[in-house]
Amino acid sequence: MKDYINTVTMERFAADIRIQTILMFAHAGYGHIGGAMSISDVLAVLYGGVMSIDPKNPSWEERDRFVLSKGHSGPSLYAALALKGYFPLEELKTLNRGGTRLPSHCDRLKTPGIDMTTGSLGQGVSAAMGIAMGVRMKGLECYTYLIVGDGELQEGQVWEGVQFAAHQKLDHLIAFVDDNKKQLDGMVEEICEPFDICDKFRSFGWNAQIVKGYDVKEIYQAITQAKKEVGKPSVIVLDTIKGKGCNFAEVVDFNHYMVISDEMAEESIKEIEKKLLKE
Amino acid sequence: MYRLAKEHKEEKEAMRDVYCNALMQLAEKNPAVISVDADVMHSMGTLEFHKNYPSQAINCGIQEANAVGVCAGLSVTGFIPFFHTFSTFATRRVYDQVFLSCAYSGANVKIVGGDAGVTTAVNGGTHMPFEDMGIMRNIPGMTVIEPTDSTMLRSIVPQIANNYGNYYMRLCRRSTMKIYDDSSEFEIGKAAILKEGEDVTIFANGIMVHEALKAYVMLEKQKISARVVDMFTIKPVDADCIIESAKLTGAVVAVENHNIINGLGSAVAEVLSENYPVPLERVGVLDEFGEVGDQNYLMKRYGLTAEEICRKSIKAIERKK
């Protein structure tokens, strides 16, 4: 991993993930837009430079592993994988269709590049711990990356896994919390407040950082720092906004799952391109 | 091939120790075999594994849901995890984790529950599983087994490790009655026919196999000839054997240390009604919760006895008329 990144390339990749995801949802007519948008930047950093992967050989033994525990955001991961060449971009149009390799939630048996099946919240955390243990037991140097939702932190299983990872000193495990402040029914702090997420992880024995979750440079630097930590797992809390970067989603209260038209998609893609030019 | 032991008496070795030894033998040969515990190594008898193969043993602590997820993660990196705890915690407590992270994910996780029904005894109703086989049977692709004695357990454990897929095996932790000659070998999914008979077939598993053999003798005295079958795999159940038995005897009794709903009796009923309907009677727990007591008391309390098997056998035979 280099000490610096080309932020322009990375921001372009994040924009492309957003664009492809919005197109995918518009084609299907609906989708889990909010949480897919808020992880687009971290996916761009991971798949755009951090992770050691081979899209032509998805099961390459020495690859870095990735678990999207908030499995309902699968579509943005599919966009990243397609853009990296795991499968044709055209296939994104098959999202949720009968017989597709791209189901609404991540499925390791169906999609090239998906390391773990997720969809029942909390479970991806434990699976990631098992994967991190497994690759370490095999003597591999690879990293396991994990994304958990902020609402997902309400699941008790998350904290079983968090305690386990610290005890097992899984320092090649880097977790991200998509702290986008919203869950299906509304604001996370109104439904079941997580309080200080970094403090919680630190009290469980983790190295914790918080960064702007839509700033690729900050995310990259946090990963660089996390890799220096020895004997401790690391968490990077992504302070972000649900629906981030998609104009129609970002402004509404309930954006976990939305009906999306071609017109909405077109408009939002124009906005994304415009914003990129400005930056 | 399998043979009945000359004598059926209580075994010297506890099932948990037989299990641990079988697992250690596997681990010695195959470094991919991993023992995963959730703070009941002393109860489950896996302490020796932990001592002898520390690099292949993980004690997660009291966190069964995470332990199952860790197993799933280990398995997708190529390991063969065996997760063992009390049956209630190995099944109903982690049902969604087993369903999704293991079965739906196409993982390769072996789950072992240590307390078969009334053998939970003094741990009482909170810990007594009469539903574990049933709920695990409902998970697509899950193989569900209850080995009968130490000989069968030794024969089965390597098969579980060597066949890719998710398994649930239900044990009793203490020693059980010796049923089979030491030379016996078994194949998962293939029932063992223990006695031939013409009037009725008794399908049993686990501790109820011994009761079925006792019932065989009692029925013989009443001039009733019973076929006795050890149906140790309830999924995939040996449908051929069930159909053949129904054709041969025309009446069937299914006997289990489990709720009669969704266990062995249900599996037998499904095969019979779709293929060769004959009168069926079920012996088992009649949709009740467990309670505290010693095993003998509980077997009588829930009607898990040779006498009840005889009564139901006669009833099934009468229904043929």
Side-chain angles (χ1 to χ4, degrees), chain B residues 13-227:
Chain B
E13 212 178 348
M15 288 289 265
R16 61 183 166 194
D17 297 330
V18 176
Y19 169 63
C20 183
N21 286 331
L23 210 55
M24 287 196 291
Q25 275 183 21
L26 287 174
E28 180 68 34
K29 282 185 274 183
N30 186 353
V33 171
I34 310 291
S35 167
V36 178
D37 286 272
D39 193 48
V40 287
M41 289 196 301
H42 283 81
S43 311
M44 288 299 294
T46 47
L47 202 57
E48 282 300 307
F49 189 107
H50 204 88
K51 281 182 193 159
N52 291 318
Y53 301 90
S55 64
Q56 287 167 254
I58 301 167
N59 190 350
C60 295
I62 310 166
Q63 39 171 245
E64 293 83 6
N66 185 52
V68 170
V70 166
C71 285
L74 285 167
S75 104
V76 302
T77 56
F79 289 93
I80 308 169
F82 277 74
F83 173 56
H84 19 253
T85 181
F86 301 166
S87 297
T88 46
F89 309 138
T91 60
R92 66 179 194 235
R93 187 178 180 95
V94 293
Y95 196 55
D96 191 40
Q97 285 76 16
V98 174
F99 187 98
L100 190 77
S101 291
C102 301
Y104 187 87
S105 297
N108 184 28
V109 177
K110 322 299 179 181
I111 294 167
V112 178
D115 296 83
V118 295
T119 71
T120 307
V122 292
N123 264 342
T126 56
H127 285 53
M128 196 167 290
F130 292 147
E131 69 295 320
D132 55 328
M133 305 275 275
I135 63 174
M136 297 305 257
R137 194 168 82 93
N138 246 17
I139 298 177
M142 180 71 67
T143 301
V144 182
I145 306 171
E146 181 170 3
T148 311
D149 73 354
S150 65
T151 304
M152 187 188 282
L153 181 56
R154 278 189 201 96
S155 172
I156 295 273
V157 172
Q159 293 178 52
I160 292 180
N162 296 333
N163 296 332
Y164 191 95
N166 298 287
Y167 283 71
Y168 173 59
M169 178 169 73
R170 179 202 222 208
L171 294 179
C172 62
R173 283 188 273 148
R174 293 182 299 278
S175 58
T176 186
M177 299 300 286
K178 184 168 183 61
I179 302 295
Y180 294 104
D181 183 83
D182 290 343
S183 65
S184 299
E185 281 178 26
F186 302 87
E187 190 185 328
I188 291 171
K190 278 285 207 194
I193 299 157
L194 309 186
K195 296 284 184 190
E196 284 297 356
E198 292 165 5
D199 301 323
V200 62
T201 303
I202 303 167
F203 293 106
N205 60 11
I207 59 167
M208 298 314 292
V209 172
H210 185 243
E211 294 301 311
L213 290 169
K214 286 199 295 195
Y216 170 86
V217 176
M218 290 157 72
L219 289 166
E220 207 175 28
K221 286 178 185 156
Q222 298 179 57
K223 306 259 183 305
I224 294 170
S225 142
R227 188 179 218 227

Side-chain angles (χ1 to χ4, degrees), chain A residues 129-193:
Chain A
M129 307 310 170
I131 290 169
M133 288 286 286
V135 291
R136 187 172 71 182
M137 284 157 78
K138 285 189 156 182
L140 301 171
E141 286 296 313
C142 59
Y143 279 82
T144 301
Y145 297 95
L146 163 70
I147 297 181
V148 189
D150 55 350
E152 189 178 4
L153 298 180
Q154 291 158 0
E155 289 281 3
Q157 186 175 351
V158 170
W159 301 102
E160 292 185 6
V162 167
Q163 187 166 349
F164 175 84
H167 180 79
Q168 298 290 347
K169 302 183 170 46
L170 294 176
D171 55 11
H172 277 44
L173 178 92
I174 299 178
F176 300 90
V177 175
D178 176 20
D179 184 13
N180 64 27
K181 325 290 185 291
K182 281 184 190 168
Q183 57 191 107
L184 194 150
D185 274 345
M187 300 303 289
V188 173
E189 65 173 6
E190 284 169 18
I191 290 165
C192 189
E193 178 161 8

